[in-house]
Amino acid sequence: NVSPSLLRAMVYSEWVTDLPQPAWAYNPPLRHDVPIATAVEALQQRVLERLLNPPLLERLDDMSLKYAANSTMTLGDLFGWTQASVFGDVRNGHFSTAGAVHRSLQQWYARRLAELLLAPKPGTPYDAQSLARAELLSLRSDVRKAQMKPRLEALTRAHLQSLEAVANQALSARMVAPVTQPTAGGTGM
């Protein structure tokens, strides 16, 4: 939460000099204000990318084999906590207060879940792919309930419809699961 008056004051200003300037020296930005929403969105996406990085997901998946149950963070914890943080307002019906930055995060994360399901990066554990599918199913259910609220403003309705479309497309996509052949030194049957 940053003061709107502060954000309005954070603008690009022209560099003025009385000396003659060559034409190539003038290169103003496209926007004269600070794109704070873009900066916050980029930060949020970097954090989530780190959390959903295949090596981290593999480590969390392996921890269930190395430690007693409920003694460490699990993949289920990561996905559950992230889902609650990103889409908790949709689940509890307070989505009308979500601003542009939070809506952008929701759109990005829904697409990231779809990517984990449909085109996972090499090294992504199958358990993470399964959890991504479960979270998309949960999101679709929550969005459908949220859309039944009366008097939704147009932007909120469009946002919810977009989230539902992302979930539907990912969940209804036809995939061909690759069949791996046994290796020469493996125990093929």
Side-chain angles (χ1 to χ4, degrees):
N1 291 329
V2 180
S3 162
S5 62
L6 174 63
L7 291 177
R8 287 191 300 272
M10 294 173 58
V11 295
Y12 163 83
S13 62
E14 297 288 336
W15 177 51
V16 179
T17 180
D18 292 334
L19 301 173
Q21 292 181 342
W24 55 264
Y26 183 71
N27 188 18
L30 293 175
R31 290 181 58 171
H32 288 274
D33 62 333
V34 175
I36 192 74
T38 304
V40 172
E41 290 164 7
L43 178 63
Q44 291 173 330
Q45 290 171 9
R46 277 196 307 269
V47 168
L48 285 173
E49 273 301 327
R50 295 287 298 259
L51 291 173
L52 300 174
N53 193 12
L56 183 101
L57 295 173
E58 287 176 321
R59 287 180 61 205
L60 285 174
D61 203 26
D62 285 346
M63 287 172 70
S64 66
L65 301 172
K66 298 175 183 176
Y67 298 96
N70 300 321
S71 65
T72 64
M73 182 178 174
T74 66
L75 276 175
D77 293 333
L78 173 65
F79 279 84
W81 295 336
T82 306
Q83 187 86 354
S85 295
V86 175
F87 297 117
D89 60 330
V90 174
R91 175 168 282 162
N92 67 27
H94 298 298
F95 46 85
S96 61
T97 59
V101 172
H102 191 67
R103 286 191 304 271
S104 177
L105 173 65
Q106 289 176 331
Q107 291 289 342
W108 183 87
Y109 186 60
R111 285 163 174 74
R112 189 62 177 91
L113 288 172
E115 181 185 341
L116 276 170
L117 175 63
L118 299 174
K121 294 177 182 174
T124 301
Y126 292 124
D127 288 345
Q129 295 171 44
S130 298
L131 286 166
R133 183 178 186 283
E135 296 300 356
L136 285 167
L137 285 166
S138 175
L139 173 62
R140 181 171 66 183
S141 173
D142 292 343
V143 165
R144 286 179 176 169
K145 289 176 193 166
Q147 288 177 334
M148 299 174 91
K149 284 197 160 231
R151 295 186 299 273
L152 288 176
E153 66 172 316
L155 180 58
T156 300
R157 183 171 300 286
H159 173 66
L160 292 171
Q161 289 170 343
S162 179
L163 289 174
E164 183 180 16
V166 170
N168 282 337
Q169 289 171 356
L171 292 167
S172 65
R174 295 187 184 266
M175 298 181 302
V176 177
V179 177
T180 58
Q181 298 295 322
T183 60
T187 57
M189 291 191 206

